[in-house]
Amino acid sequence: MNAITTKIAAAALLVGAQLAAATAAEAAPAPAPAAVAGAESKTAAAAVRITEGQVGEAAPGGTLLYPSVTSCLTVTVRLRDGGLVGAHASLFQVPGEFRSDRILTELKRRTGGRAVRAVEVRGAVGAWDPSYFTKAIESYGDGEAVPFPEAPDPAGIAGAVAAGLGQPRAVVTVQDVPDGDQTVS
């Protein structure tokens, strides 16, 4: 092996290791609220990262980071105590994560009986039919027509999210947000 080939091979190994580490970090479950709290700490707690198909939580004063929101919707529950519980709903299921028709159930479970101040839905509103929260795209069999949104339906999405979380419709807002990362604090 000459010096150039050796350097290329070493660079490829380094990039592969970095990608593997990043993938493992994204796949890791969100820490429990006590682990992110840092309430007694003078330094700010790291943002809780919630990738496609995941649900996570940040203690009061914390931050949620939803990376790479393109065709997805994020649903953030603002608790009265200042905490945040969030879900990153994906049009298509990411292996090992929650499908769109299961994610609100998990978000409701994680929220528990705690008092809710507001629910914010953000993302690719025009790509979502409200029914995707009750029947995921993957659930349709051969020959079944998958509903396709002909126009953005923020009111329908808000109604579906409110029903899925057992919250009054009045606490749910929906906002179409361009592609990119979302940070909620």
Side-chain angles (χ1 to χ4, degrees):
M1 235 185 227
N2 66 30
I4 293 174
T5 306
T6 302
K7 287 180 182 178
I8 291 171
L13 283 173
L14 178 61
V15 168
Q18 289 172 336
L19 288 174
T23 301
E26 282 187 13
V36 239
E40 293 73 39
S41 171
K42 299 289 183 203
T43 60
V48 175
R49 184 179 174 94
I50 304 174
T51 62
E52 291 183 38
Q54 293 183 342
V55 175
E57 182 171 350
T63 300
L64 299 179
L65 171 63
Y66 301 101
S68 304
V69 180
T70 54
S71 61
C72 305
L73 289 178
T74 64
V75 182
T76 303
V77 176
R78 290 187 179 274
L79 301 171
R80 285 213 183 115
D81 72 359
L84 302 168
V85 185
H88 191 148
S90 179
L91 277 176
F92 299 97
Q93 183 181 18
V94 172
E97 305 297 351
F98 293 103
R99 287 187 342 189
S100 64
D101 58 357
R102 304 266 195 281
I103 202 152
L104 293 178
T105 301
E106 179 60 17
L107 183 58
K108 182 178 180 180
R109 187 192 71 72
R110 281 291 289 268
T111 301
R114 294 178 285 177
V116 172
R117 183 167 47 96
V119 178
E120 300 167 357
V121 181
R122 298 180 184 165
V125 173
W128 279 74
D129 185 281
S131 69
Y132 297 162
F133 284 114
T134 54
K135 187 171 183 178
I137 291 173
E138 298 89 354
S139 298
Y140 290 86
D142 291 340
E144 283 187 280
V146 177
F148 180 77
E150 294 181 22
D153 186 3
I157 290 171
V161 169
L165 296 177
Q167 294 295 320
R169 165 62 186 88
V171 302
V172 181
T173 58
V174 177
Q175 182 182 7
D176 191 34
V177 176
D179 292 356
D181 295 348
Q182 292 180 21
T183 303
V184 179
S185 40

